[in-house]
Amino acid sequence: MIVSAYGPDGASADPQGHADSGRLALVKGELLLATGLVAPPGLYQGHGFLSGGPAAGSWLALRWMQGDDAETAFAKRRPAPDASAAAAYAATMCKDVADLHAGGWRHGDLQEVPFILESHQAHLADFAMAHAPDRTPGSRPVTYRGAYDWFMSPELAHARLITTPVRDLPLTTASEV
């Protein structure tokens, strides 16, 4: 999969090495089209297959967002901590997740990196593992087995351990809180 971002210095491409990456950009693109809850306005630009069809992979183009991912933004504050700025970041990150959940969606990969922080506003991004409100396990082209082990809820980790690697796991809002 190739993700293209268009920024102040032009375009950049980021090849993604995920499992099932041939369809991952399509999943992200379809989700961004399906709901306005999951993205800042104007983020989505387009998606599709690379020339050569499904076997060649897929692409996703997004608008560039100014700011740092949350991990970088908080690291910059460590030398001179600012409790009110950190609290503002945390509050806006929580609001983005709450808005997503209010629409019935689950992110599937909540961690600090999918948040882009600019000024005192957060933008939740990276919806490759997101679950729609009406999603039935096993109904999408990418099997969901959880995200990184150290960000996974105990109930999701348990389900992963007792099932086969081809079984799609159910993601609940509670497992993201």
Side-chain angles (χ1 to χ4, degrees):
M1 169 180 77
I2 296 177
V3 174
S4 297
Y6 299 89
D9 299 325
S12 65
D14 179 15
Q16 304 289 306
H18 298 286
D20 298 320
S21 63
R23 294 213 175 265
L24 208 49
L26 300 178
V27 171
K28 288 183 181 185
E30 292 301 321
L31 185 138
L32 291 168
L33 284 176
T35 179
L37 288 174
V38 298
L43 172 67
Y44 173 83
Q45 301 294 311
H47 73 282
F49 286 115
L50 296 171
S51 61
S58 57
W59 61 272
L60 172 66
L62 305 173
R63 176 182 56 83
W64 183 262
M65 287 186 288
Q66 297 289 39
D68 294 316
D69 63 69
E71 182 178 32
T72 302
F74 281 104
K76 285 179 176 178
R77 299 206 173 278
R78 283 191 188 101
D82 179 347
S84 68
Y89 281 159
T92 191
M93 291 166 70
C94 288
K95 183 185 178 321
D96 273 14
V97 173
D99 289 348
L100 182 74
H101 288 168
W105 289 85
R106 280 94 55 217
H107 189 271
D109 190 16
L110 283 178
Q111 52 177 304
E112 71 279 6
V113 178
F115 290 93
I116 303 297
L117 303 175
E118 69 178 322
S119 185
H120 290 292
Q121 185 177 4
H123 304 291
L124 182 57
D126 190 8
F127 300 99
M129 296 185 193
H131 293 194
D134 57 354
R135 182 181 184 277
T136 307
S139 65
R140 33 183 300 182
V142 178
T143 301
Y144 182 75
R145 296 292 295 167
Y148 291 113
D149 294 341
W150 52 92
F151 291 110
M152 197 179 304
S153 67
E155 64 272 18
L156 196 54
H158 177 72
R160 185 167 158 185
L161 288 171
I162 64 169
T163 61
T164 63
V166 296
R167 182 160 169 223
D168 200 23
L169 298 178
L171 176 66
T172 64
T173 300
S175 65
E176 289 197 322
V177 178

